């Protein structure tokens, strides 16, 4: 209980300070996204699964065209990633500013709101889409993933950065 309290307190303090420091840059990024992709919202909101299987709204800066989900169906045969995720070099759904904010991880900054709300923690496994949770994991893996709050950063972002195997976490040879 003490560890959980300290971790949550740390998450609140750091995410609050992060949002205060990054407020003006985030407003500027929002404006650039709206200019780059007129008529679309600067934020992308998606349902994700958190601790104990609870669904929450996951926030990111929009880096793709608004109808990216519909376009995905036409690109599935070009998937370059093992496992349930989809990755494609030169994905045509990514906007001009989207390429930059993804490469620099700026698209992840709105997740400080998720951390402040308690949906996520600063460090933990990536929050999964509800569709990723069914069929892709053993019952033991699902239990492990659902026992902790998902994180803004973790092994995948810090070390692997999409260069590791989805199943094993081992780096793939380039």
């Amino acid at each position: 209980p003490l560890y959980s309290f300290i971790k949550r307190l740390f998450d609140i303090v750091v995410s609050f300070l992060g949002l205060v420091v990054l407020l003006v840059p985030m407003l500027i990024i929002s404006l650039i996204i709206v200019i780059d992709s007129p008529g679309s919202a600067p934020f992308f909101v998606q349902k994700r699964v958190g601790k104990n299987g609870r669904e929450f709204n996951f926030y990111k800066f929009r880096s793709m065209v608004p109808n990216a989900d519909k376009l995905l169906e036409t690109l599935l045969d070009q998937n370059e990633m093992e496992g349930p995720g989809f990755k494609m070099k030169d994905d045509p759904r990514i906007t001009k500013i989207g390429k930059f904010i993804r490469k620099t991880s700026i698209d992840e900054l709105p997740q400080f709101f998720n951390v402040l709300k308690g949906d996520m923690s600063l460090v933990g496994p990536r929050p999964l889409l509800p569709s990723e949770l069914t069929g892709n994991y053993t019952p033991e893996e699902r239990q492990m993933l659902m026992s902790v709050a998902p994180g803004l950063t973790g092994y995948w972002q810090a070390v692997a950065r999409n260069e590791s195997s989805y199943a094993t976490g081992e780096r793939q040879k380039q």
Side-chain angles (χ1 to χ4, degrees):
L2 180 61
Y3 172 79
S4 296
F5 173 77
I6 291 171
K7 186 172 195 295
R8 180 68 189 129
L9 183 63
F10 179 78
D11 285 346
I12 290 170
V13 170
V14 172
S15 61
F16 179 78
L17 291 174
L19 286 168
V20 168
V21 169
L22 296 170
L23 181 62
V24 172
M26 287 175 70
L27 290 172
I28 292 168
I29 292 162
S30 296
L31 181 63
I32 293 170
I33 291 170
V34 169
I35 291 169
D36 186 49
S37 189
S40 67
F43 296 100
F44 174 71
V45 181
Q46 187 178 52
K47 289 288 183 195
R48 295 286 178 110
V49 180
K51 187 174 181 178
N52 299 322
R54 188 178 66 81
E55 287 191 10
F56 65 94
N57 287 327
F58 176 79
Y59 306 112
K60 288 182 85 164
F61 278 122
R62 179 176 297 285
S63 61
M64 292 187 164
V65 296
N67 63 339
D69 289 342
K70 290 182 177 92
L71 294 173
L72 176 62
E73 296 170 14
T74 65
L75 301 170
L76 288 174
D77 62 329
Q78 298 177 57
N79 189 7
E80 298 170 359
M81 185 175 184
E82 291 179 31
F86 178 86
K87 292 288 179 193
M88 177 182 165
K89 187 179 181 189
D90 300 322
D91 189 330
R93 301 171 302 151
I94 301 174
T95 63
K96 286 182 249 174
I97 188 65
K99 289 178 185 175
F100 173 75
I101 65 174
R102 280 179 165 214
K103 186 174 184 173
T104 57
S105 295
I106 291 171
D107 63 326
E108 311 278 347
L109 293 179
Q111 291 169 40
F112 277 119
F113 288 110
N114 289 114
V115 174
L116 192 60
K117 286 174 42 184
D119 296 329
M120 294 174 61
S121 183
L122 290 170
V123 179
R126 291 300 294 161
L128 300 171
L129 291 165
S131 62
E132 290 177 324
L133 197 57
T134 57
N136 295 321
Y137 297 97
T138 66
E140 294 81 18
E141 290 169 332
R142 268 195 297 282
Q143 182 179 5
M144 184 177 62
L145 287 167
M146 298 296 101
S147 67
V148 295
L152 187 137
T153 191
Y155 177 80
W156 186 264
Q157 295 76 27
V159 178
R161 192 67 184 192
N162 293 334
E163 295 175 11
S164 68
S165 162
Y166 192 84
T168 66
E170 293 177 9
R171 290 196 106 144
Q172 294 177 359
K173 293 182 177 154
Q174 297 290 340

